[in-house]
Amino acid sequence: MQATLNAIISIVRTPAILVGLIAILGQALQKKSFSDTVSSGIKTFIGFLVLSGGAGIVSTSLAPMSKMFMHAFGVQGVVPNNEAVVATVLVEYGTATALIMLVSMIVNVILARFSHFKYIYLSGHVMLYMAAMLAVIMQVAGFGFATEVLFGGLILGIWDTVSPALVQPFLREVTGGNTVALAHTGDFGYAFAGLIAKFTGDKRKSTEDLNIPKSVSFLRDSTVAITITMAVIYIILALFAGPEFVGKMSSGMNYIVFALIQAGTFAGGVYVILAGVRLILNEIIPAFKGISENLVPNSVPALDCPIIFPYAPNATIVGFFASFIGGVVSMFIMIGLHTVIVIPGVVAHFMCGATSGVIGNAVGGRRGAIIGAFSQGILISFLPLALLPVLGKIGLGGATFSDADFGVIGSLIGWSGVNGGVVMIIAAIVISLILFIVASIIASKHSADKTGQNKANA
């Protein structure tokens, strides 16, 4: 029994296998041939491995940037890094984490089936991270194992159904349709960035329409532009950090050469991510039609944030830098306020900032991409300050959870526990479920009214 449970948990926490199986299920429900079904599953599986490999390459290339930044500017503090925190959490809370995640997936499917919000959350790795955070917070608050799994799974399932809906109005501007949604722990931040961009930007002036002189027309190639931009940033940081410090990281390689290699590695990682995204979308969208028609009518697959990078490659880099600058500004504000210092997490600012940049550009053009991503960068810098006190001994380490959803959900549940213990947390979860039902009813009524009005106009 335990071996079976471990196998199931291993599958659901591995996005490549999970989404590959879902593609197979979708094809089977459409009664496609055995050949087409197997081919779709394998291509989706490989696509996610390619995407994950690209994300790993990017993360590896960004790690030296964080070290050079901290050394160059002489700052120490908490670094937002999901993987580092979760690796620590799973040692003690691994079973609770896996079961919370499993319950949340069941809740997500049930809510998508019977509510207005038809989003199926398919980013298993970030789902695992959120489950890990909830496992810590709820045990700190005094929950027993069974109630922790039940209520932790319930609140995570509700959020996994709601969070893609928050971003979808902005994502439709990016993709031009409703075929895919975002499933990432930055969803709250993306909705926040989208709102800021909508009210401050001008969507007529896109980052993708920049007028580039013929003499530098090679910059129209996003891979070339990314490489050159990152090379400039890396070389500047390497100069500030100094050859001795950089030499230790590079095993004796010349520090300028090392900077250039890391810039090229970053660009290569982005290229691999984009290739994986294209492969996934070509398979998962058609396959999901079978699930939509048979299990959860009109359902929409919610996938990881890199799926939108190909829609605006320039905006991904603009968003990354704008978000990172927001993190740097926030850091200096924290130094002035004498609070815990949150060091800008380069990976978090890349993933969340790039996504915010693409969304900001779609609803507010160049200005929207910059302001929206900058605002999101400030948001994910200050939210950890609210989260750290409710993480118990986990919050005393040098790393913390990074993306906006961790700060929002973690603070809601954690501070409910601080102020009222288990009873207050259960009350907060029950209220969240009631609000979800009310929001679903209102959204369904609004959708029906809009459909009726369109028919009348026709």
mmCIF file of all heavy atoms in Angstrom, residues 231 234-240 242-243 246-247 250 253-263:
data_model
loop_
_atom_site.group_PDB
_atom_site.id
_atom_site.type_symbol
_atom_site.label_atom_id
_atom_site.label_comp_id
_atom_site.label_asym_id
_atom_site.label_seq_id
_atom_site.Cartn_x
_atom_site.Cartn_y
_atom_site.Cartn_z
ATOM 1 N N ALA A 231 24.959 39.860 -21.033
ATOM 2 C CA ALA A 231 26.417 40.005 -20.974
ATOM 3 C C ALA A 231 26.806 41.332 -20.336
ATOM 4 O O ALA A 231 27.727 41.386 -19.506
ATOM 5 C CB ALA A 231 26.998 39.902 -22.387
ATOM 6 N N TYR A 234 26.096 41.015 -16.541
ATOM 7 C CA TYR A 234 27.058 40.133 -15.876
ATOM 8 C C TYR A 234 28.445 40.768 -15.778
ATOM 9 O O TYR A 234 29.117 40.664 -14.741
ATOM 10 C CB TYR A 234 27.153 38.800 -16.632
ATOM 11 C CG TYR A 234 26.257 37.725 -16.093
ATOM 12 C CD1 TYR A 234 25.146 37.295 -16.809
ATOM 13 C CD2 TYR A 234 26.524 37.115 -14.863
ATOM 14 C CE1 TYR A 234 24.319 36.296 -16.313
ATOM 15 C CE2 TYR A 234 25.709 36.121 -14.369
ATOM 16 C CZ TYR A 234 24.602 35.711 -15.096
ATOM 17 O OH TYR A 234 23.786 34.733 -14.599
ATOM 18 N N ILE A 235 28.873 41.414 -16.846
ATOM 19 C CA ILE A 235 30.204 42.021 -16.831
ATOM 20 C C ILE A 235 30.267 43.150 -15.799
ATOM 21 O O ILE A 235 31.252 43.279 -15.058
ATOM 22 C CB ILE A 235 30.573 42.537 -18.240
ATOM 23 C CG1 ILE A 235 30.843 41.348 -19.169
ATOM 24 C CG2 ILE A 235 31.796 43.450 -18.180
ATOM 25 C CD1 ILE A 235 31.041 41.734 -20.626
ATOM 26 N N ILE A 236 29.208 43.954 -15.721
ATOM 27 C CA ILE A 236 29.178 45.038 -14.720
ATOM 28 C C ILE A 236 29.264 44.465 -13.308
ATOM 29 O O ILE A 236 30.042 44.938 -12.462
ATOM 30 C CB ILE A 236 27.896 45.888 -14.886
ATOM 31 C CG1 ILE A 236 27.960 46.693 -16.185
ATOM 32 C CG2 ILE A 236 27.703 46.816 -13.684
ATOM 33 C CD1 ILE A 236 26.672 47.425 -16.523
ATOM 34 N N LEU A 237 28.481 43.421 -13.037
ATOM 35 C CA LEU A 237 28.516 42.806 -11.708
ATOM 36 C C LEU A 237 29.866 42.160 -11.424
ATOM 37 O O LEU A 237 30.373 42.237 -10.291
ATOM 38 C CB LEU A 237 27.394 41.764 -11.579
ATOM 39 C CG LEU A 237 25.982 42.302 -11.366
ATOM 40 C CD1 LEU A 237 24.963 41.164 -11.396
ATOM 41 C CD2 LEU A 237 25.874 43.050 -10.040
ATOM 42 N N ALA A 238 30.454 41.540 -12.449
ATOM 43 C CA ALA A 238 31.759 40.909 -12.265
ATOM 44 C C ALA A 238 32.825 41.954 -11.940
ATOM 45 O O ALA A 238 33.703 41.721 -11.100
ATOM 46 C CB ALA A 238 32.140 40.129 -13.524
ATOM 47 N N LEU A 239 32.741 43.113 -12.580
ATOM 48 C CA LEU A 239 33.698 44.189 -12.306
ATOM 49 C C LEU A 239 33.556 44.698 -10.877
ATOM 50 O O LEU A 239 34.556 44.952 -10.195
ATOM 51 C CB LEU A 239 33.499 45.332 -13.310
ATOM 52 C CG LEU A 239 33.916 45.042 -14.761
ATOM 53 C CD1 LEU A 239 33.469 46.166 -15.683
ATOM 54 C CD2 LEU A 239 35.432 44.850 -14.850
ATOM 55 N N PHE A 240 32.309 44.841 -10.415
ATOM 56 C CA PHE A 240 32.082 45.305 -9.047
ATOM 57 C C PHE A 240 32.487 44.254 -8.021
ATOM 58 O O PHE A 240 33.021 44.577 -6.952
ATOM 59 C CB PHE A 240 30.607 45.677 -8.848
ATOM 60 C CG PHE A 240 30.275 47.080 -9.244
ATOM 61 C CD1 PHE A 240 29.702 47.362 -10.472
ATOM 62 C CD2 PHE A 240 30.542 48.141 -8.384
ATOM 63 C CE1 PHE A 240 29.389 48.658 -10.844
ATOM 64 C CE2 PHE A 240 30.238 49.451 -8.736
ATOM 65 C CZ PHE A 240 29.665 49.707 -9.977
ATOM 66 N N GLY A 242 34.727 41.893 -8.442
ATOM 67 C CA GLY A 242 36.180 41.738 -8.469
ATOM 68 C C GLY A 242 36.628 40.377 -8.971
ATOM 69 O O GLY A 242 35.931 39.370 -8.790
ATOM 70 N N PRO A 243 37.814 40.332 -9.606
ATOM 71 C CA PRO A 243 38.307 39.076 -10.197
ATOM 72 C C PRO A 243 38.572 37.973 -9.183
ATOM 73 O O PRO A 243 38.388 36.797 -9.475
ATOM 74 C CB PRO A 243 39.603 39.498 -10.904
ATOM 75 C CG PRO A 243 40.003 40.787 -10.249
ATOM 76 C CD PRO A 243 38.732 41.450 -9.842
ATOM 77 N N VAL A 246 35.052 36.414 -8.129
ATOM 78 C CA VAL A 246 34.469 35.692 -9.265
ATOM 79 C C VAL A 246 35.322 34.485 -9.615
ATOM 80 O O VAL A 246 34.799 33.427 -9.990
ATOM 81 C CB VAL A 246 34.321 36.622 -10.482
ATOM 82 C CG1 VAL A 246 33.764 35.862 -11.678
ATOM 83 C CG2 VAL A 246 33.414 37.798 -10.147
ATOM 84 N N GLY A 247 36.637 34.615 -9.460
ATOM 85 C CA GLY A 247 37.540 33.508 -9.768
ATOM 86 C C GLY A 247 37.275 32.276 -8.918
ATOM 87 O O GLY A 247 37.426 31.143 -9.381
ATOM 88 N N SER A 250 34.357 30.504 -10.457
ATOM 89 C CA SER A 250 34.594 30.017 -11.820
ATOM 90 C C SER A 250 35.728 29.015 -11.911
ATOM 91 O O SER A 250 36.149 28.653 -13.016
ATOM 92 C CB SER A 250 34.902 31.201 -12.737
ATOM 93 O OG SER A 250 36.122 31.833 -12.347
ATOM 94 N N MET A 253 38.692 30.464 -13.906
ATOM 95 C CA MET A 253 38.452 31.057 -15.226
ATOM 96 C C MET A 253 38.501 32.581 -15.127
ATOM 97 O O MET A 253 38.118 33.156 -14.107
ATOM 98 C CB MET A 253 37.082 30.609 -15.747
ATOM 99 C CG MET A 253 36.744 31.110 -17.147
ATOM 100 S SD MET A 253 35.046 30.685 -17.647
ATOM 101 C CE MET A 253 35.127 28.903 -17.697
ATOM 102 N N ASN A 254 38.983 33.234 -16.166
ATOM 103 C CA ASN A 254 38.993 34.690 -16.197
ATOM 104 C C ASN A 254 37.589 35.226 -15.904
ATOM 105 O O ASN A 254 36.601 34.729 -16.464
ATOM 106 C CB ASN A 254 39.460 35.165 -17.572
ATOM 107 C CG ASN A 254 39.448 36.680 -17.696
ATOM 108 O OD1 ASN A 254 38.422 37.270 -18.026
ATOM 109 N ND2 ASN A 254 40.582 37.300 -17.432
ATOM 110 N N TYR A 255 37.492 36.226 -15.050
ATOM 111 C CA TYR A 255 36.181 36.649 -14.563
ATOM 112 C C TYR A 255 35.308 37.275 -15.650
ATOM 113 O O TYR A 255 34.087 37.149 -15.622
ATOM 114 C CB TYR A 255 36.331 37.593 -13.371
ATOM 115 C CG TYR A 255 36.884 38.968 -13.651
ATOM 116 C CD1 TYR A 255 36.134 40.101 -13.372
ATOM 117 C CD2 TYR A 255 38.171 39.156 -14.150
ATOM 118 C CE1 TYR A 255 36.635 41.383 -13.597
ATOM 119 C CE2 TYR A 255 38.681 40.408 -14.380
ATOM 120 C CZ TYR A 255 37.914 41.522 -14.105
ATOM 121 O OH TYR A 255 38.406 42.782 -14.336
ATOM 122 N N ILE A 256 35.912 37.922 -16.646
ATOM 123 C CA ILE A 256 35.122 38.477 -17.753
ATOM 124 C C ILE A 256 34.609 37.350 -18.655
ATOM 125 O O ILE A 256 33.451 37.354 -19.091
ATOM 126 C CB ILE A 256 35.951 39.482 -18.572
ATOM 127 C CG1 ILE A 256 36.411 40.647 -17.683
ATOM 128 C CG2 ILE A 256 35.128 39.998 -19.755
ATOM 129 C CD1 ILE A 256 35.271 41.464 -17.094
ATOM 130 N N VAL A 257 35.483 36.382 -18.928
ATOM 131 C CA VAL A 257 35.072 35.224 -19.734
ATOM 132 C C VAL A 257 33.939 34.474 -19.024
ATOM 133 O O VAL A 257 32.964 34.054 -19.653
ATOM 134 C CB VAL A 257 36.268 34.279 -19.992
ATOM 135 C CG1 VAL A 257 35.803 33.002 -20.696
ATOM 136 C CG2 VAL A 257 37.327 34.983 -20.815
ATOM 137 N N PHE A 258 34.080 34.310 -17.708
ATOM 138 C CA PHE A 258 33.038 33.631 -16.924
ATOM 139 C C PHE A 258 31.703 34.367 -17.048
ATOM 140 O O PHE A 258 30.649 33.748 -17.202
ATOM 141 C CB PHE A 258 33.462 33.573 -15.458
ATOM 142 C CG PHE A 258 32.452 32.939 -14.550
ATOM 143 C CD1 PHE A 258 32.237 31.569 -14.559
ATOM 144 C CD2 PHE A 258 31.701 33.724 -13.673
ATOM 145 C CE1 PHE A 258 31.300 30.982 -13.716
ATOM 146 C CE2 PHE A 258 30.763 33.151 -12.834
ATOM 147 C CZ PHE A 258 30.564 31.775 -12.848
ATOM 148 N N ALA A 259 31.749 35.696 -16.982
ATOM 149 C CA ALA A 259 30.531 36.497 -17.120
ATOM 150 C C ALA A 259 29.879 36.274 -18.473
ATOM 151 O O ALA A 259 28.652 36.132 -18.582
ATOM 152 C CB ALA A 259 30.847 37.980 -16.908
ATOM 153 N N LEU A 260 30.699 36.238 -19.527
ATOM 154 C CA LEU A 260 30.168 36.016 -20.867
ATOM 155 C C LEU A 260 29.549 34.623 -20.999
ATOM 156 O O LEU A 260 28.490 34.456 -21.629
ATOM 157 C CB LEU A 260 31.283 36.190 -21.903
ATOM 158 C CG LEU A 260 31.814 37.617 -22.096
ATOM 159 C CD1 LEU A 260 33.036 37.609 -23.013
ATOM 160 C CD2 LEU A 260 30.724 38.520 -22.683
ATOM 161 N N ILE A 261 30.192 33.628 -20.413
ATOM 162 C CA ILE A 261 29.662 32.257 -20.466
ATOM 163 C C ILE A 261 28.315 32.178 -19.762
ATOM 164 O O ILE A 261 27.364 31.544 -20.253
ATOM 165 C CB ILE A 261 30.646 31.262 -19.817
ATOM 166 C CG1 ILE A 261 31.922 31.167 -20.654
ATOM 167 C CG2 ILE A 261 30.001 29.885 -19.658
ATOM 168 C CD1 ILE A 261 31.707 30.598 -22.046
ATOM 169 N N GLN A 262 28.188 32.833 -18.605
ATOM 170 C CA GLN A 262 26.915 32.795 -17.868
ATOM 171 C C GLN A 262 25.814 33.506 -18.651
ATOM 172 O O GLN A 262 24.665 33.068 -18.666
ATOM 173 C CB GLN A 262 27.075 33.448 -16.490
ATOM 174 C CG GLN A 262 28.046 32.731 -15.565
ATOM 175 C CD GLN A 262 27.746 31.250 -15.452
ATOM 176 O OE1 GLN A 262 26.626 30.841 -15.151
ATOM 177 N NE2 GLN A 262 28.757 30.428 -15.701
ATOM 178 N N ALA A 263 26.164 34.602 -19.329
ATOM 179 C CA ALA A 263 25.174 35.315 -20.148
ATOM 180 C C ALA A 263 24.691 34.432 -21.291
ATOM 181 O O ALA A 263 23.486 34.340 -21.569
ATOM 182 C CB ALA A 263 25.787 36.610 -20.694
#
